[in-house]
Amino acid sequence: MKALTGLVLFGFLFGHGMSALSQVRYQVDVCVYGGTSAGVIAAFTAEKLGKRTVLIDPGKHLGGMTSGGLGYTDIGNKAAITGLARDFYRRVGKQYNKFEQWVFEPHVAENVFNDYVRRGGFQVLMETRVKEVVKNGNAIQEIVLENSEDPSQPNVIVTAQMFIDCGYEGDLMAKSNVSYRIGREANHEYKETLNGVQLLDGHQFPDGIDPYLVPGKPNSGLVWGVTADTLGKKGTGDKKIQAYNFRICLSSEPANQVKITRPDGYDSTKYELLVRLINALPQKRRLNDYFIWSKMPGGKTDVNNRGGFSTDMIGMNYNYPDGTYEERKEIIRQHEEYTKGLLYFLGHDARVPAKIRDEMLMWGYPKDEYVDNGHWSHQLYIRESRRMIGEYVMTQANCEGKRKVNDGIALGAYTMDSHNCQRIVVKGQVKNEGNVEVGGFGPYPISYRAIVPKKEEATNLLVPVCLSATHIAYGSIRMEPVFMVLGQSAAAAAVMAMDQQVSVQDVPVKELQHQLKINPLAEWAPPDILCDNADTRHARASSKKWQVVTEGGYGRDFMITDPTRENKFLSGKEKRVETFRFAPGNRQPGDYRVFIYIPMIKGISDNLLVKISDGLRIQERILQTKGLVVEGQTSGEWISLGQQTIMKTKKPWVEVTTVGANGKVVADAVIWVPLTNEPPPAGNQ
């Protein structure tokens, strides 16, 4: 059966006779359910650590949202993303001739995930979903699977020692009778302030938008999208979840466009609120006023929700988490119909201002994306579904650093981010409720116990995606790069539990943390050597002229000095030269490629002089920042300083200097990457 490893395995068996398929039972060491980004990384990790692994997904494509349109990566801190997650973004980078790339096209991401399958050698069962979980006491023995497209086909049974649920819905977890939560906790439950009902200003309607079919007449009924629910008391809990949407990939290249046409089921009345919103905002006549219209490589987009009425289908997903497969399919269909209708409406309805219509008509569906799905994403953005109630519940206090855990196996860093949960009438006006966006904190550890069920419920299951967190804490954790790190950590823990013959609850976390640190690529390749400006033992400024900047860097902050200001009234020998030196602490001998991270800020010097030394010789590099194009939520770029050999008895260093600078000089981070760890060149995935 191993010879059939790959994406076509399940389809091959179905195509070669039902009688043969009805006899198929898979017996593996590790079963990973959910072919999301976390699932692919988890399966790759488990297989590379020596365990027979199978990856199961109900759909036809791997990668979840990362290959489903979310190419403008939501990332609070690049330095917090480690291991195979960081490797993923480097492999994507190779496709764009860069060291790392956090902004990418859907097909590029999917190709990289498929390459993990090829290199990992694990089995993949596509179009296959969990039907039943068989347990012996508190241990899962096997799972029964059905064909996603035709449940009448014979079932398939997978027996494993360890199970990892990497699905966005937590179906394996739920069918294992593990406790979970749907909706928002009341603030008092975990001593939070941002959970529960929150009527705030984010992605909100301005005052004065009438909610009734006939303005001013409540008896006429509510326009589409507004519910009759009443506003609860601030901070009270409910079963409502934040809105879903599609992250829309469109193309501006005429040769790569499929025209946006009127979709089946089109109903222009669904967009009445948008008309009223546009009329109330005469100063806003661009698509980017009503969408987060992020530009992507290849002339494409990653379009996300913005403002009071946009791509979020608010309040239409409540039945999704616990819904049957058929109910979910209908909800997904409704979201697709709504979103395609919205795009068509903006380009064709006479009530939309001509300037917006003309701009919309410049875009089309990408001809080279999602070619087997009508050029439309295969993945609805399930921002939140079930959340396990595990050994430990992550809360707002963890995100804000007020409560710290010592069993961290990943770092969260993103804003506590909840999209709106309901659209209601408040004082005769339309209002969205539930949006929360609160950041301002540094990376925080995510507890191993948060991906582990209670011991009495399941001893051989890990849940790195629908993990144990409150609604508001989950809003920070739920980022694709973090899911990948958690998937790798879960797989490493599963292997350790098997090897030591213990439950997942009894895995020695300090050993797990150590293994993740020394074996970040799951192949026992030597780790990178990262030296950040915040590492005061190995990074040093020449004087106090260097100031800390807390936003826009690779890690939590970076350093900056402005020699043009300091030397303005000085001349000749009076002018002071400032330096910032990075010297790696861990100096494993070998050949490395050295990169320096340059955060892009206003007023940065066009040229930066950098010195690099292996402990014997000193070389100089002039880095040109003018014209450097940087995309993504963290505006910075790794720039190569060339190769360097680290010798056991010598101390290498990299130094930034203000010599020749005509603007601000920055010092952020330097990384030494073993040559053996570099992904292949573009085109070789």
Side-chain angles (χ1 to χ4, degrees):
M1 198 57 65
K2 190 70 172 183
L4 294 176
T5 295
L7 299 178
V8 299
L9 175 59
F10 199 68
F12 175 89
L13 291 171
F14 266 102
H16 286 71
M18 293 304 103
S19 59
L21 181 62
S22 63
Q23 304 303 312
V24 171
R25 291 181 64 100
Y26 293 90
Q27 186 165 356
V28 295
D29 298 315
V30 179
C31 173
V32 180
Y33 187 80
T36 60
S37 59
V40 175
I41 295 301
F44 180 88
T45 301
E47 188 78 30
K48 285 296 182 180
L49 294 179
K51 304 303 179 186
R52 292 172 301 159
T53 304
V54 63
L55 174 63
I56 302 164
D57 189 76
K60 300 178 181 180
H61 298 270
L62 295 179
M65 280 307 304
T66 301
S67 63
L70 206 169
Y72 191 82
T73 306
D74 295 316
I75 175 67
N77 186 307
K78 290 181 180 177
I81 306 307
T82 55
L84 287 167
R86 184 182 292 173
D87 177 71
F88 169 82
Y89 294 102
R90 289 183 184 170
R91 290 183 180 274
V92 169
K94 284 295 181 180
Q95 306 308 300
Y96 295 103
N97 296 310
K98 289 188 177 182
F99 176 54
E100 287 180 358
Q101 179 79 350
W102 301 74
V103 178
F104 46 83
E105 299 156 271
H107 77 271
V108 171
E110 185 169 2
N111 288 343
V112 173
F113 284 124
N114 289 342
D115 188 61
Y116 277 107
V117 176
R118 180 188 62 79
R119 292 184 298 109
F122 51 89
Q123 295 179 332
V124 179
L125 305 182
M126 300 300 291
E127 299 180 65
T128 317
R129 62 195 185 196
V130 62
K131 179 179 181 180
E132 182 184 354
V133 174
V134 180
K135 295 173 70 175
N136 181 7
N138 55 359
I140 302 172
Q141 296 298 299
E142 60 188 28
I143 60 174
V144 181
L145 306 168
E146 66 181 16
N147 181 270
S148 302
E149 296 299 314
D150 185 2
S152 67
Q153 298 286 356
N155 294 331
V156 175
I157 297 174
V158 175
T159 302
Q161 294 187 55
M162 289 287 159
F163 293 83
I164 305 175
D165 188 343
C166 290
Y168 292 126
E169 296 86 1
D171 287 337
L172 177 58
M173 170 193 72
K175 290 183 182 296
S176 300
N177 294 322
V178 168
S179 300
Y180 61 87
R181 189 80 174 253
I182 297 173
R184 303 181 284 187
E185 296 88 353
N187 271 327
H188 67 81
E189 290 188 52
Y190 291 96
K191 298 181 179 179
E192 297 175 307
T193 61
L194 300 173
N195 213 332
V197 172
Q198 301 285 335
L199 185 63
L200 302 175
D201 295 331
H203 299 284
Q204 187 59 274
F205 283 91
D207 289 345
I209 304 296
D210 194 288
Y212 304 113
L213 289 172
V214 178
K217 295 187 178 296
N219 292 338
S220 66
L222 297 167
V223 297
W224 186 92
V226 182
T227 72
D229 291 352
T230 57
L231 179 66
K233 184 179 178 182
K234 181 179 179 180
T236 54
D238 55 30
K239 298 293 184 180
K240 296 179 172 66
I241 55 176
Q242 58 177 309
Y244 298 165
N245 73 341
F246 281 98
R247 296 292 286 256
I248 309 168
C249 183
L250 300 176
S251 173
S252 62
E253 300 294 332
N256 192 37
Q257 286 183 350
V258 175
K259 187 177 180 180
I260 297 173
T261 57
R262 180 185 178 115
D264 292 339
Y266 177 71
D267 180 359
S268 65
T269 64
K270 291 181 178 179
Y271 314 108
E272 172 63 26
L273 275 180
L274 179 57
V275 173
R276 296 182 185 186
L277 179 63
I278 291 173
N279 290 338
L281 302 171
Q283 74 280 15
K284 293 188 175 183
R285 290 297 182 263
R286 298 295 306 273
L287 287 175
N288 206 45
D289 292 325
Y290 300 94
F291 305 87
I292 299 176
W293 203 273
S294 301
K295 300 294 181 66
M296 308 295 287
K300 296 172 187 172
T301 64
D302 172 357
V303 179
N304 196 12
N305 183 80
R306 167 170 279 160
F309 192 101
S310 188
T311 62
D312 278 1
M313 202 173 176
I314 299 173
M316 306 297 180
N317 60 348
Y318 300 156
N319 294 330
Y320 186 90
D322 267 343
T324 65
Y325 292 127
E326 288 304 310
E327 288 171 337
R328 288 181 185 166
K329 185 177 180 180
E330 174 59 18
I331 292 171
I332 293 170
R333 188 200 64 78
Q334 291 172 0
H335 278 72
E336 181 176 341
E337 181 183 275
Y338 163 80
T339 312
K340 287 181 175 179
L342 175 62
L343 299 177
Y344 179 79
F345 177 84
L346 286 165
H348 297 85
D349 197 287
R351 292 172 293 172
V352 176
K355 190 172 183 178
I356 296 178
R357 276 186 279 133
D358 291 343
E359 188 179 1
M360 186 68 242
L361 291 175
M362 295 170 59
W363 297 89
Y365 299 124
K367 190 180 294 183
D368 62 343
E369 299 287 355
Y370 317 125
V371 293
D372 65 345
N373 197 46
H375 310 285
W376 186 256
S377 174
H378 50 79
Q379 180 63 62
L380 180 64
Y381 195 176
I382 310 302
R383 289 192 174 94
E384 178 182 23
S385 183
R386 300 177 176 113
R387 302 188 310 279
M388 180 173 66
I389 304 174
E391 291 276 298
Y392 183 86
V393 179
M394 297 289 294
T395 70
Q396 179 181 335
N398 293 110
C399 299
E400 295 175 333
K402 297 176 181 178
R403 182 180 300 126
K404 296 182 180 180
V405 298
N406 59 13
D407 62 341
I409 39 85
L411 293 173
Y414 200 72
T415 297
M416 287 180 285
D417 180 11
S418 171
H419 283 233
N420 279 300
C421 299
Q422 59 179 332
R423 181 176 286 146
I424 55 178
V425 179
V426 179
K427 298 179 180 179
Q429 307 170 94
V430 180
K431 291 295 176 182
N432 295 333
E433 184 279 313
N435 188 88
V436 179
E437 297 170 84
V438 176
F441 44 81
Y444 58 90
I446 301 170
S447 172
Y448 172 70
R449 290 166 291 162
I451 68 171
V452 174
K454 295 175 181 177
K455 195 169 187 178
E456 62 269 22
E457 294 182 343
T459 57
N460 60 341
L461 172 68
L462 296 115
V463 186
V465 175
C466 292
L467 77 165
S468 181
T470 64
H471 161 78
I472 197 61
Y474 191 81
S476 171
I477 296 169
R478 62 173 181 85
M479 303 301 146
E480 291 286 295
V482 178
F483 283 157
M484 285 190 250
V485 178
L486 289 167
Q488 179 174 358
S489 300
V495 172
M496 190 171 288
M498 291 178 63
D499 289 345
Q500 299 189 16
Q501 297 184 336
V502 298
S503 68
V504 294
Q505 290 82 8
D506 294 327
V507 166
V509 178
K510 289 191 180 300
E511 289 184 32
L512 175 62
Q513 292 169 326
H514 180 67
Q515 184 188 119
L516 292 169
K517 182 178 181 180
I518 65 173
N519 188 20
L521 301 183
E523 297 182 276
W524 294 107
D528 298 341
I529 303 172
L530 175 66
C531 188
D532 187 81
N533 68 280
D535 183 359
T536 55
R537 294 176 302 169
H538 305 110
R540 185 174 66 253
S542 57
S543 75
K544 293 184 179 179
K545 300 292 185 181
W546 292 85
Q547 303 297 315
V548 176
V549 178
T550 57
E551 291 185 6
Y554 183 72
R556 67 185 183 189
D557 54 40
F558 64 95
M559 307 300 291
I560 186 172
T561 189
D562 190 347
T564 58
R565 177 181 297 178
E566 296 295 332
N567 295 331
K568 185 175 182 180
F569 302 105
L570 301 178
S571 61
K573 294 182 180 180
E574 293 179 315
K575 291 185 177 181
R576 182 179 177 87
V577 175
E578 297 293 338
T579 61
F580 197 100
R581 177 171 291 191
F582 300 87
N586 171 28
R587 298 192 303 274
Q588 181 68 31
D591 295 324
Y592 294 79
R593 192 176 301 277
V594 188
F595 296 85
I596 187 168
Y597 195 81
I598 304 298
M600 295 305 297
I601 59 171
K602 187 176 181 179
I604 192 171
S605 176
D606 291 341
N607 300 296
L608 296 176
L609 176 62
V610 178
K611 297 181 179 181
I612 178 171
S613 174
D614 59 5
L616 289 175
R617 298 167 296 276
I618 299 177
Q619 296 178 303
E620 293 185 350
R621 299 278 192 278
I622 301 293
L623 307 183
Q624 297 182 347
T625 64
K626 193 173 183 178
L628 185 63
V629 178
V630 179
E631 300 170 309
Q633 296 205 51
T634 50
S635 55
E637 191 74 87
W638 286 110
I639 297 178
S640 176
L641 298 178
Q643 292 184 208
Q644 184 183 74
T645 298
I646 292 183
M647 297 166 282
K648 188 173 183 180
T649 58
K650 304 301 178 182
K651 295 181 178 180
W653 50 265
V654 171
E655 188 174 81
V656 180
T657 176
T658 59
V659 173
N662 64 351
K664 298 174 183 177
V665 176
V666 293
D668 193 341
V670 176
I671 195 167
W672 285 258
V673 181
L675 292 182
T676 55
N677 291 6
E678 288 206 54
N684 290 346
Q685 290 290 350

